Amino acid sequence: MTETLRNDLENVYGRYEELRSGVDELQRSIATMQVSAESEDGAVRATVDADGRLVDLMLNQKACREWDVNTLARVIVQTVQNAAAGKYQQLENIVTNHRPEA
């Protein structure tokens, strides 16, 4: 094997290792990603994971005391939907930040 070919193979392997490491880091970032959203008045806060599953819900006293159950339910659903919609932007940001340099 010529020295040039050996160097080329080493460069290709080094690039492969960099890409593989980047993919591993990307997978970890996505696996631990959480996105939160708040209702307009801040009374409800919902957090979803990368799959859009609700992982945390916080209600302040205003939501519990002043709202009827239908209003509370509507605000919770809207806030969870907003958090789930925000996950796509977060995923795009994560992927963009993990793109290999050309």
Side-chain angles (χ1 to χ4, degrees), residues 26 29-30 32-36 48-50 83-98:
L26 177 62
S29 294
I30 291 172
T32 60
M33 181 183 84
Q34 292 189 347
V35 179
S36 297
V48 299
D49 65 11
K87 79 177 181 136
Y88 294 109
Q89 180 63 46
Q90 184 70 22
L91 281 170
E92 183 178 322
N93 291 342
I94 289 171
V95 170
T96 299
N97 290 333
H98 284 85

Side-chain angles (χ1 to χ4, degrees), residues 49-91:
D49 65 11
D51 294 322
R53 290 184 298 235
L54 183 64
V55 296
D56 191 35
L57 179 65
M58 294 172 45
L59 308 173
N60 74 14
Q61 290 300 318
K62 176 184 177 183
C64 297
R65 279 186 285 167
E66 297 178 13
W67 294 347
D68 63 61
V69 293
N70 292 324
T71 300
L72 180 57
R74 180 181 48 76
V75 173
I76 290 171
V77 168
Q78 184 62 53
T79 305
V80 171
Q81 288 174 342
N82 290 344
K87 79 177 181 136
Y88 294 109
Q89 180 63 46
Q90 184 70 22
L91 281 170

